[in-house]
Amino acid sequence: MNLFFKWITIISLGATTLYSQQNSGLAEEFSRLEDHIRNPKISDEQKKKNFEANMVNSVRSTLSKRFSNPKKELKDLKFQDLQTERPEGTNTFYVKYKNYYFQYQFPVDPETYVTLPSEEIVLEKPEGLDLSSGAHKEEKKN
């Protein structure tokens, strides 16, 4: 009888080892896939394309809510028409198009992923307003 329990123990340990090896392989594959999805390897050229498309699509989406005929107004919108700035280490972008200024907050890096902003603010600059000289400062009263 004692030999029977030893034999069952050996078989159980072998099955447990085999099962854990199969699972560790699957767990390892899962981890690799998750890492690949979260940290895709993208060429600089693809990053540039993603960024340009995301900026144009964001401006187009935002302004299409303001215009009565957005197709006509935004027909010729190109990335070259935009000025963009990104504070270092953020997914916040400042964009200028004609007299419109935008602040976009993206949920993910728009160079890596195809995305639209999760938050947006748009301002329209009035004609003739000079923002470069600080002309809007309040006058001091004596």
Side-chain angles (χ1 to χ4, degrees):
M1 193 72 157
N2 195 9
L3 181 62
F4 177 73
F5 286 119
K6 286 182 182 178
W7 185 72
I8 294 293
T9 303
I10 291 172
I11 290 175
S12 295
L13 286 174
T16 303
T17 303
L18 179 62
Y19 179 75
S20 66
Q21 287 175 349
Q22 288 174 342
N23 278 349
S24 69
L26 185 56
E28 188 176 320
E29 284 182 46
F30 181 88
S31 295
R32 284 189 205 151
L33 177 59
E34 183 178 39
D35 182 56
H36 174 75
I37 291 170
R38 289 180 188 239
N39 303 306
K41 308 287 187 262
I42 298 177
S43 69
D44 289 341
E45 183 179 322
Q46 187 60 48
K47 283 182 179 183
K48 181 180 178 198
K49 285 180 183 179
N50 287 350
F51 177 71
E52 290 177 3
N54 283 329
M55 290 299 121
V56 168
N57 290 337
S58 296
V59 170
R60 188 178 308 278
S61 173
T62 302
L63 290 180
S64 66
K65 299 170 198 169
R66 289 187 164 250
F67 296 132
S68 59
N69 188 356
K71 287 184 181 180
K72 178 185 171 195
E73 297 283 345
L74 300 171
K75 183 174 98 173
D76 298 325
L77 176 63
K78 297 180 191 97
F79 180 76
Q80 293 76 10
D81 300 331
L82 306 177
Q83 292 177 358
T84 63
E85 184 178 306
R86 178 185 199 176
E88 191 173 334
T90 70
N91 284 336
T92 301
F93 288 81
Y94 295 92
V95 181
K96 180 182 176 192
Y97 173 66
K98 295 184 178 182
N99 285 335
Y100 296 96
Y101 290 77
F102 308 88
Q103 178 187 8
Y104 290 125
Q105 177 66 43
F106 289 90
V108 292
D109 185 356
E111 290 183 337
T112 305
Y113 301 96
V114 175
T115 185
L116 284 173
S118 55
E119 296 178 35
E120 61 184 43
I121 299 172
V122 60
L123 304 173
E124 185 175 3
K125 182 178 113 178
E127 288 291 326
L129 178 63
D130 183 11
L131 296 174
S132 61
S133 67
H136 192 63
K137 292 182 181 177
E138 292 183 26
E139 294 180 21
K140 292 183 180 181
K141 295 181 181 179
N142 289 341

